[in-house]
Amino acid sequence: SVDGGNSWSENAADSIMAGYNIRALTVDDAGQIFVGGSNGMRGKFFRYTPADDQWMALQKTGDPAEIVIGSGGLLFASYQFHDESGGGIAKSSDSGDTWFGASINNADFQWHGVTGLAANSTGTVFAAIVYGKEWGGVPPSTTGIYRYNTATDDWTLLLEETPWALAIAPNDDIYIVLDDGSVMRSTDDGLSWE
């Protein structure tokens, strides 16, 4: 829809996404559409490019949960694996053609439970992490809320709590729901919480 939802037109993906339950969707400034879905056995990411009027499957696998666009057009995707070996966050700087694991404190971020992923109006990306798993001798990360730093290509722990949901309001206030059901808010990019 290009008129606030009053009318709709189909942007058919033909059969490329047939059999996939779509779980994640975002659109970048160039009008590219990024979709993530699962067919019950494995997850897949897809991209629509308006210049080519074409859908294509991307190389990234894993059950997608959320896809967000950060500053500089960096694409972030949170995902899980069907075998319950974990999940994580991957990032791409080339519209999903290639993907790299996003790290926390130089640890492999593939082995962390991601319960939320969101970007504010300036493109700053935040992640909610509920557990870490030691892998290859690398200790697990701390459960909490993290902010991605583009300059250092790393994450900063903002709040050491157990977050089960994360959302960012249009005014950039950050909201999280903790494991005890309480809701916390930050009005300063996660530096302080109430």
Side-chain angles (χ1 to χ4, degrees), residues 77-162:
S78 63
Y79 59 93
Q80 295 292 114
F81 291 118
H82 280 287
D83 62 5
E84 299 182 0
S85 61
I89 296 177
K91 66 178 178 184
S92 174
S93 59
D94 56 8
S95 297
D97 287 335
T98 55
W99 293 85
F100 302 92
S103 65
I104 288 183
N105 302 328
N106 299 315
D108 185 355
F109 202 23
Q110 176 175 325
W111 301 99
H112 298 78
V114 183
T115 58
L117 185 66
N120 66 14
S121 64
T122 65
T124 302
V125 176
F126 298 83
I129 308 298
V130 293
Y131 68 90
K133 178 178 178 181
E134 185 170 336
W135 182 254
V138 177
S141 69
T142 303
T143 293
I145 299 295
Y146 287 82
R147 180 179 60 220
Y148 181 74
N149 184 326
T150 306
T152 61
D153 190 28
D154 206 351
W155 298 82
T156 301
L157 177 63
L158 302 172
L159 181 68
E160 195 172 334
E161 292 284 351
T162 305

Side-chain angles (χ1 to χ4, degrees), residues 19-101:
Y20 284 86
N21 295 318
I22 303 305
R23 298 180 178 171
L25 169 72
T26 194
V27 181
D28 70 9
D29 291 338
Q32 294 185 111
I33 303 170
F34 299 91
V35 174
S38 172
N39 65 4
M41 297 294 286
R42 71 184 282 191
K44 197 94 175 146
F45 291 83
F46 305 91
R47 179 184 66 215
Y48 171 78
T49 306
D52 302 329
D53 192 26
Q54 183 176 13
W55 284 92
M56 70 177 292
L58 302 175
Q59 295 300 313
K60 184 73 200 122
T61 60
D63 274 356
E66 294 170 281
I67 304 172
V68 300
I69 298 171
S71 61
L74 278 177
L75 190 64
F76 291 81
S78 63
Y79 59 93
Q80 295 292 114
F81 291 118
H82 280 287
D83 62 5
E84 299 182 0
S85 61
I89 296 177
K91 66 178 178 184
S92 174
S93 59
D94 56 8
S95 297
D97 287 335
T98 55
W99 293 85
F100 302 92

Side-chain angles (χ1 to χ4, degrees), residues 162-187:
T162 305
W164 286 106
L166 165 71
I168 299 180
N171 68 354
D172 287 338
D173 286 358
I174 305 167
Y175 291 86
I176 58 172
V177 177
L178 301 181
D179 59 342
D180 64 2
S182 62
V183 177
M184 296 187 75
R185 178 181 72 160
S186 174
T187 61

